[in-house]
Amino acid sequence: MSEKIYVGVDLGGTAIKVGICDEHGQLMHTYEGPTEVDKGVDMVIANIEKYVRHIVVESPYSWEQLAGVGAGVAGFTNVREGIIVLAPNIGFRNVAIRSILEERLGKPVKIDNDANVAALGEAWAGAGKGVDNCVCYTLGTGVGGGLILNGKIYQGFSGMAGELGHVSVVPDLEAIQCGCGKMGCVETVSSATGIIRMAKDAVERGDHTSLALVDKIAAKEVFDAAKAGDEVALRIVNRAAFYLGKSMAAVAAVINPEMFIIGGGVSKAGNILFDEVRTVFAKLTPEPLQEGVKILEATLGNNAGIVGAAGLLLRS
Amino acid sequence: MSEKIYVGVDLGGTAIKVGICDEHGQLMHTYEGPTEVDKGVDMVIANIEKYVRHIVVESPYSWEQLAGVGAGVAGFTNVREGIIVLAPNIGFRNVAIRSILEERLGKPVKIDNDANVAALGEAWAGAGKGVDNCVCYTLGTGVGGGLILNGKIYQGFSGMAGELGHVSVVPDLEAIQCGCGKMGCVETVSSATGIIRMAKDAVERGDHTSLALVDKIAAKEVFDAAKAGDEVALRIVNRAAFYLGKSMAAVAAVINPEMFIIGGGVSKAGNILFDEVRTVFAKLTPEPLQEGVKILEATLGNNAGIVGAAGLLLRS
């Protein structure tokens, strides 16, 4: 076996997940160990090195076949300089992770933030395989995004391209304030947080719904209730889908992508969400901008981060 | 003189304008002649060749210094194949203009549509000189756009990236239908057509305004009236500025550009428009996405098309 391999690192607050990909983004081995944030930055870096060495040594591949290592992290990164500017959940501030790891591993290293890395994973080897221009949404606590343009992560002027959750789409009369300080961002309705908020509001004001126990409502329960025919839950899901579809129409007019990939916990709602998103997108997007455009669910799940991190070596 | 020169062609329905640029986009000579659309496709192409040869021969540069020719045209173009798919105002349909001109001139040729070419001109040698990521609006009969990402025109999946006029920003309660068939596009309010429509509506319903003579209102008159203190005209200008600024906030969240360049007839309104656009953009865009972002008036005027066309050789 002489082909090259790429190791991706998903640097989380609890665990560091590593994986080996081939040059097509096929994930062949994974391994994970504790991050040990409490032991400080040096220990976290030592752990990254340890897990990367471990997975390669235990694999059928040689260290020489390792072409490089990519890492994704939740936080602000300076991609060009290879610095983690601020990553609160691992306690990093201005850590020149790229040069440190390059020295310790003797291999090229690239880094990026988790949203971009997950987008690259899906575009490279997931739902968007073979697609050059795609837009990825992650519907979780917030609404994250990443743009893959001409096959590569697009960073924008200050590294903040793809802040898709902060496209404002909710009309003033029904808008609420977003965490970013502005009104009507799609994140306020189409994230898990937004869906749960709408459900709690409904229960608290006494809407006739099967949803109950305000403290325990999760987005999944809202979807389940909607699928079971609960009218209130269905309206909440449709509202989340409507504003997501509306924001996608704006994105289509700006960058004319070939594909929208939707991942994250909320995407698990399946057809009840996707059917409505596709309907709204078709209704609000000028014909020529929707021709041939696909809206698909992400396929790599939690592995998108590892795969995309490995892809940084080839696609950034 | 041994430096290379680049000829740009602005292929219009009445005139073909050509210009010589240096490698920095400095426009040094211009020339124009009639398009002669009525004499057919072959004559139009012969005229392009004639004017390109003429301007180089009459210049201090030699034919050998000519590195290539770029052409911009109003219509649908297939950039990759070098084909003008449909350009009604010059009567072209599926004309393989690139290969025809390359054969006749013996030089590399590139083509693109007029909006992209004007955007490239401004980004390369106009207001955006030195800026890698910028978004250009042309506010004329419609609202056109072009994206320069990483220094190059970004085409998107089907060549329609930058359809900025069709970002929907007007709330349903006050939206009207756009030429594209959808409701509330920024083009319906922020184009010259939109401004004139609002002015005519005001006059026809008897608003107390200095504007009069419905058939003769032009956008410039609305700006002049607004500057002179006409309240109705001022509200129209503010409304055009508001929705433009609102659409720019959405664009900023998606692609995080360093600069917005606004050109076209409406941009001639000057500060009365730009001050309001900047205010609205600052109000509606999350802080980190507006940091360091500039909003400027286009500087090349009608020459943006020639300069950008010349730039296609270096920047596409």
Side-chain angles (χ1 to χ4, degrees):
Chain A
M1 288 186 298
S2 64
E3 81 263 34
K4 284 183 176 165
I5 59 166
Y6 303 84
V7 166
V9 179
D10 180 348
L11 185 48
T14 309
I16 297 170
K17 299 175 190 168
V18 296
I20 297 179
C21 288
D22 68 10
E23 62 181 346
H24 307 294
Q26 181 70 40
L27 182 62
M28 297 176 298
H29 303 278
T30 61
Y31 177 72
E32 71 174 86
T35 311
E36 302 188 296
V37 170
D38 54 313
K39 296 186 182 164
V41 169
D42 290 346
M43 179 60 88
V44 172
I45 291 172
N47 283 336
I48 297 171
E49 181 188 358
K50 188 165 76 180
Y51 306 149
V52 170
R53 290 193 181 274
H54 177 85
I55 195 172
V56 176
V57 167
E58 296 291 310
S59 79
Y61 304 96
S62 69
W63 187 254
E64 284 62 44
Q65 287 176 271
L66 177 60
V69 176
V73 61
F76 293 98
T77 55
N78 179 328
V79 170
R80 212 168 297 166
E81 307 290 331
I83 294 168
I84 295 176
V85 177
L86 183 64
N89 63 347
I90 56 167
F92 278 36
R93 177 186 285 270
N94 291 319
V95 176
I97 185 87
R98 185 179 68 198
S99 58
I100 295 171
L101 285 177
E102 284 186 339
E103 188 168 332
R104 294 176 79 132
L105 294 166
K107 298 284 183 183
V109 172
K110 298 230 178 186
I111 64 158
D112 210 322
N113 70 59
D114 55 346
N116 280 347
V117 158
L120 179 58
E122 286 293 340
W124 183 34
K129 194 160 186 163
V131 171
D132 266 354
N133 298 295
C134 67
V135 171
C136 301
Y137 282 84
T138 303
L139 310 180
T141 308
V143 170
L147 310 182
I148 308 300
L149 307 184
N150 297 329
K152 295 182 175 180
I153 293 171
Y154 180 69
Q155 300 286 351
F157 162 49
S158 46
M160 284 188 292
E163 282 290 350
L164 305 176
H166 302 291
V167 172
S168 178
V169 284
V170 184
D172 284 356
L173 294 175
E174 48 169 313
I176 67 166
Q177 194 177 35
C178 181
C180 77
K182 302 303 170 184
M183 303 293 291
C185 296
V186 63
E187 178 164 303
T188 62
V189 280
S190 306
S191 62
T193 312
I195 289 165
I196 292 165
R197 176 185 55 77
M198 291 187 280
K200 287 185 177 176
D201 285 353
V203 171
E204 279 175 353
R205 73 178 165 245
D207 281 9
H208 188 68
T209 170
S210 62
L211 295 167
L213 292 166
V214 166
D215 291 344
K216 296 197 174 165
I217 292 176
K220 186 178 183 309
E221 284 177 87
V222 182
F223 300 133
D224 290 345
K227 286 172 195 168
D230 185 296
E231 186 75 16
V232 171
L234 186 61
R235 284 181 181 236
I236 291 169
V237 175
N238 282 349
R239 191 157 181 258
F242 178 81
Y243 288 115
L244 179 60
K246 186 177 175 188
S247 75
M248 287 161 55
V251 172
V254 179
I255 55 174
N256 180 213
E258 179 170 356
M259 186 182 284
F260 290 92
I261 302 175
I262 301 171
V266 172
S267 71
K268 300 281 174 265
N271 288 344
I272 202 170
L273 180 83
F274 278 82
D275 288 351
E276 184 69 10
V277 169
R278 291 190 186 103
T279 301
V280 171
F281 180 76
K283 181 163 179 273
L284 300 183
T285 309
E287 285 287 343
L289 287 162
Q290 53 174 290
E291 238 169 63
V293 177
K294 286 170 280 295
I295 299 171
L296 297 179
E297 192 177 340
T299 61
L300 298 180
N302 291 333
N303 286 332
I306 299 177
V307 173
L312 288 174
L313 280 303
L314 293 165
R315 299 287 202 95
S316 67
Chain B
M1 288 187 299
S2 65
E3 81 263 37
K4 286 183 175 165
I5 59 166
Y6 303 84
V7 167
V9 178
D10 181 347
L11 185 47
T14 308
I16 296 170
K17 299 175 190 167
V18 296
I20 296 178
C21 288
D22 69 10
E23 60 181 346
H24 307 293
Q26 181 70 40
L27 182 62
M28 298 176 300
H29 302 277
T30 60
Y31 178 70
E32 71 174 88
T35 310
E36 301 187 297
V37 170
D38 53 312
K39 296 186 182 166
V41 170
D42 290 346
M43 180 59 89
V44 173
I45 291 172
N47 282 337
I48 298 172
E49 182 188 356
K50 188 165 74 180
Y51 305 149
V52 170
R53 288 191 183 278
H54 177 85
I55 195 172
V56 177
V57 168
E58 296 290 311
S59 80
Y61 304 96
S62 70
W63 187 252
E64 284 63 44
Q65 287 177 271
L66 177 59
V69 176
V73 60
F76 293 98
T77 55
N78 179 330
V79 171
R80 213 166 296 164
E81 307 290 332
I83 294 167
I84 295 177
V85 177
L86 183 64
N89 63 348
I90 56 167
F92 277 36
R93 178 186 286 269
N94 291 318
V95 176
I97 185 89
R98 186 179 66 199
S99 56
I100 295 171
L101 285 177
E102 284 186 340
E103 189 167 331
R104 295 175 78 133
L105 294 166
K107 297 285 182 182
V109 172
K110 298 230 176 186
I111 65 158
D112 210 322
N113 69 59
D114 55 347
N116 280 346
V117 157
L120 179 59
E122 286 293 340
W124 182 34
K129 194 160 187 166
V131 171
D132 265 354
N133 298 295
C134 69
V135 171
C136 301
Y137 283 83
T138 303
L139 310 181
T141 309
V143 171
L147 309 182
I148 307 300
L149 307 184
N150 297 327
K152 296 182 173 179
I153 294 172
Y154 180 69
Q155 300 286 350
F157 164 49
S158 46
M160 285 188 292
E163 282 291 349
L164 304 176
H166 302 291
V167 172
S168 177
V169 284
V170 185
D172 285 356
L173 294 175
E174 49 168 313
I176 66 165
Q177 194 176 36
C178 180
C180 77
K182 303 301 171 184
M183 304 293 291
C185 296
V186 63
E187 177 165 304
T188 62
V189 280
S190 306
S191 62
T193 313
I195 289 165
I196 293 165
R197 177 185 55 77
M198 292 187 281
K200 287 184 176 174
D201 285 353
V203 171
E204 279 175 353
R205 73 179 165 245
D207 281 9
H208 187 70
T209 169
S210 63
L211 296 167
L213 292 166
V214 167
D215 291 345
K216 297 198 173 164
I217 293 176
K220 186 178 183 308
E221 283 178 87
V222 182
F223 299 132
D224 289 345
K227 286 171 195 167
D230 185 296
E231 187 74 18
V232 171
L234 186 61
R235 284 183 181 234
I236 291 169
V237 175
N238 282 348
R239 191 158 181 257
F242 178 81
Y243 287 116
L244 178 61
K246 185 177 174 188
S247 76
M248 287 162 53
V251 171
V254 178
I255 55 174
N256 180 211
E258 179 169 356
M259 187 181 283
F260 290 91
I261 302 173
I262 301 172
V266 173
S267 71
K268 300 279 174 268
N271 288 344
I272 201 170
L273 180 83
F274 278 82
D275 288 350
E276 184 69 10
V277 169
R278 291 191 186 103
T279 301
V280 172
F281 180 76
K283 180 161 179 273
L284 300 182
T285 309
E287 285 287 343
L289 286 162
Q290 52 175 290
E291 238 169 64
V293 177
K294 287 170 279 294
I295 299 171
L296 297 180
E297 191 177 340
T299 61
L300 298 180
N302 291 334
N303 287 333
I306 298 177
V307 173
L312 287 174
L313 279 303
L314 292 167
R315 299 286 201 94
S316 68

